Amino acid sequence: MTRIVSGASGGRTLTVPKGATRPTSERVREALFSRLEHLGVVDGARVLDLYAGSGALGLEAASRGAAGVTLVDSAKPAAAACRSNVAALGLRDTAVVVAGTARGYLMGAPSTAYDLVLVDPPYDVTETDLGDVLAALTAWLAPDAVVVVERSRRSPEPTWPPALERTDERRYGDTTLWFASTAPGQEPVTVTDMGERAGEQR
């Protein structure tokens, strides 16, 4: 059973899509948001949840006072579960569900400057693909934004683009959480840059 840990929706159960979705455990979510609240980056934040699955991470942020949450997942069952959970929690005015890939969403023109980004890719997302997503993400970040990447502890540290600087690493059982913030004095990779890079690879 997956449920919201704390906040206005604390204790509410979430619908989890069937299949290969790997929901973040309640213990890890509790530890993650304890850390994020200590950093003061949840209340009032604009939050992006990439590879959202059930939306547990983004909806946890909404429950704890985030101003707006965008949930992105390309799998139809996951997008449907996200929509169901948003409706069940009464968060239609706070949370938006995007049915599409993380890379596809980030290749669009930046429409929001996100304060907090939660990235929990499936195991089959390669380190190269994750690195490309993190590079594209930098065009969407607010100053002093925080990015959290959740991976198996057997995975290497993500390849951070110059605009992001690792700030912390926390391990919980088989899970590693990598924290990064916008690096001072670095220019983000623009969507145009990413399009040119993709063209060079074709």
Side-chain angles (χ1 to χ4, degrees):
M1 181 178 68
T2 299
R3 62 180 184 172
I4 299 294
V5 176
S6 187
S9 302
R12 298 285 298 275
T13 301
L14 299 176
T15 297
V16 176
K18 296 180 180 179
T21 300
R22 175 180 48 83
T24 302
S25 73
E26 188 171 312
R27 171 174 171 262
V28 172
R29 274 187 291 123
E30 186 171 13
L32 167 61
F33 279 92
S34 176
R35 176 65 178 160
L36 292 174
E37 288 183 327
H38 175 73
L39 295 173
V41 294
V42 179
D43 189 37
R46 292 156 297 182
V47 179
L48 175 60
D49 183 356
L50 295 176
Y51 312 98
S54 66
L57 289 176
L59 296 176
E60 185 74 43
S63 179
R64 294 171 184 247
V69 177
T70 302
L71 308 172
V72 180
D73 203 296
S74 61
K76 290 183 179 179
C82 285
R83 293 190 187 98
S84 175
N85 289 329
V86 167
L89 297 177
L91 293 172
R92 284 195 176 100
D93 293 336
T94 302
V96 174
V97 179
V98 176
T101 65
R103 184 184 177 93
Y105 177 73
L106 296 173
M107 290 294 288
S111 56
T112 302
Y114 290 107
D115 305 296
L116 173 62
V117 182
L118 306 164
V119 186
D120 181 14
Y123 289 136
D124 61 358
V125 171
T126 68
E127 299 305 319
T128 298
D129 288 344
L130 176 58
D132 286 344
V133 166
L134 293 174
L137 173 62
T138 62
W140 293 73
L141 297 178
D144 302 318
V146 173
V147 176
V148 183
V149 177
E150 178 178 340
R151 291 295 258 171
S152 162
R153 69 178 302 161
R154 293 178 294 278
S155 299
E157 179 175 355
T159 301
W160 303 108
L164 284 174
E165 183 177 76
R166 190 192 77 167
T167 58
D168 202 357
E169 171 193 355
R170 300 292 175 99
R171 294 191 175 191
Y172 306 95
D174 289 335
T175 299
T176 300
L177 298 178
W178 301 94
F179 294 77
S181 294
T182 47
Q186 291 286 347
E187 291 295 324
V189 174
T190 66
V191 173
T192 301
D193 293 337
M194 288 300 296
E196 291 174 351
R197 181 173 170 185
E200 290 171 356
Q201 293 175 345
R202 283 196 294 267

